[in-house]
């Protein structure tokens, strides 16, 4: 069974802190790894990673994929209360457009 | 550009009943996927529709069925509801022409089964 594991399950930080969220997986036949932010209901797209070692960056968020060690990380620097959300990691599988999600990391940023 | 919309936003049903959830895909998107997200879990893939045909299915029983219409909108039907069907049901649309990598999610329908 395809498996995506995210860690930590939850964390609480103060504004201005830097956080690193982890996503490890056990499959190799996937097309891309995606990160989503889910605040209330609809997950919103953050990054798509297909190549190992190439960092994607958007403002204070960045992400990288390591296909050899089978993991990805999402970094958020200078956290703000608006970063409080569930962060989901997903694999887009080789065939079709199916996404396999991890359980998510709950991030709470305190002011 | 119109985003993905879903209806209703929430509903309550009792065990054994049937429910139909609806999704309108983002403008220009021809593929719709449905996901079930139980509390505290990540979304689980139910199935995907492309050109009005099912194009991949997750590990869900046949009482979960769907449709896609010529305008690419979609329905998810669940028969013989069980308590464990209580969840947030998410619809996501994408475009095969654009490579389909990015799936845009709707706000979801919160289903409670009593």
């Amino acid at each position: 069974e395809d498996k995506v594991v995210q860690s930590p399950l939850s964390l609480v930080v103060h504004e201005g802190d830097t956080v690193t969220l982890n996503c490890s997986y056990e499959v190799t036949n996937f097309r891309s790894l995606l990160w989503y932010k889910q605040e209330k209901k609809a997950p919103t797209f953050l990054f798509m990673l297909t190549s190992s070692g190439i960092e994607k960056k958007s403002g204070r968020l960045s992400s990288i994929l390591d296909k050899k060690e089978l993991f990805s990380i999402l970094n958020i620097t200078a956290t703000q209360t608006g970063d409080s959300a569930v962060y989901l990691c997903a694999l887009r599988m080789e065939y079709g457009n199916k996404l396999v999600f991890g359980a998510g990391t709950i991030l709470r940023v305190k002011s | 550009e119109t985003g993905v919309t879903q209806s209703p936003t929430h509903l309550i049903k009792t065990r054994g009943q049937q429910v139909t959830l609806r999704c309108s895909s983002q403008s220009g998107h021809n593929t719709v996927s449905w996901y079930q997200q139980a509390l505290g879990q990540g979304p689980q893939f139910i199935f995907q529709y492309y050109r009005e045909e099912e194009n991949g299915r997750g590990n869900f029983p046949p009482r979960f069925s769907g449709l896609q219409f010529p305008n690419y909108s979609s329905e998810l039907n669940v028969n013989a509801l069980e308590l464990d069907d209580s969840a947030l049901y998410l619809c996501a649309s994408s475009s095969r022409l654009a490579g389909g990598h990015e799936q845009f999610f709707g706000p979801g329908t919160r289903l409670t089964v009593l």
Side-chain angles (χ1 to χ4, degrees):
Chain A
E1 186 178 303
D2 306 325
K3 196 169 182 182
V4 178
V5 178
Q6 293 187 243
S7 63
L9 292 179
S10 66
L11 73 163
V12 181
V13 301
H14 289 93
E15 272 192 315
D17 288 350
T18 293
V19 297
T20 298
L21 310 182
N22 301 288
C23 174
S24 63
Y25 53 89
E26 296 181 356
V27 298
T28 54
N29 57 332
F30 65 96
R31 294 190 185 187
S32 53
L33 185 145
L34 299 98
W35 284 95
Y36 285 87
K37 177 183 182 182
Q38 186 175 28
E39 292 181 78
K40 288 189 178 177
K41 286 191 174 180
T44 53
F45 173 81
L46 294 175
F47 293 111
M48 181 185 74
L49 304 160
T50 54
S51 300
S52 198
I54 299 176
E55 184 184 51
K56 291 283 186 84
K57 197 169 171 64
S58 176
R60 297 177 294 104
L61 278 67
S62 64
S63 184
I64 197 163
L65 174 65
D66 186 327
K67 284 189 170 183
K68 183 179 177 184
E69 301 298 327
L70 308 184
F71 76 92
S72 174
I73 59 172
L74 174 67
N75 281 316
I76 308 175
T77 60
T79 52
Q80 302 171 355
T81 55
D83 295 327
S84 297
V86 176
Y87 289 84
L88 295 165
C89 167
L91 297 178
R92 183 191 173 205
M93 303 312 292
E94 184 68 39
Y95 298 104
N97 206 20
K98 168 185 174 181
L99 294 180
V100 177
F101 283 88
T105 292
I106 303 170
L107 173 64
R108 182 181 163 210
V109 181
K110 296 169 69 173
S111 57
Chain B
E1 187 178 87
T2 306
V4 181
T5 60
Q6 292 187 242
S7 63
T9 54
H10 58 272
L11 72 166
I12 300 173
K13 293 284 188 177
T14 56
R15 274 188 307 174
Q17 285 189 310
Q18 178 266 342
V19 69
T20 297
L21 311 181
R22 295 177 176 82
C23 170
S24 291
S25 59
Q26 184 161 313
S27 177
H29 285 185
N30 55 17
T31 303
V32 173
S33 303
W34 285 91
Y35 293 84
Q36 180 196 66
Q37 187 175 22
L39 201 61
Q41 299 296 318
Q44 298 291 313
F45 177 75
I46 303 175
F47 45 53
Q48 179 184 98
Y49 278 84
Y50 171 65
R51 288 188 175 179
E52 302 177 54
E53 292 194 1
E54 189 179 286
N55 181 45
R57 188 179 182 92
N59 190 27
F60 281 81
R63 58 190 185 84
F64 285 78
S65 63
L67 285 173
Q68 187 180 31
F69 300 99
N71 67 353
Y72 305 130
S73 65
S74 177
E75 286 183 354
L76 164 64
N77 299 291
V78 187
N79 294 321
L81 284 167
E82 301 176 359
L83 296 179
D84 285 349
D85 295 334
S86 294
L88 178 68
Y89 287 85
L90 295 163
C91 161
S93 74
S94 57
S95 171
R96 285 280 180 99
L97 294 176
H101 284 281
E102 188 175 341
Q103 295 193 15
F104 293 84
F105 284 84
T109 293
R110 172 74 63 188
L111 172 65
T112 302
V113 182
L114 301 176

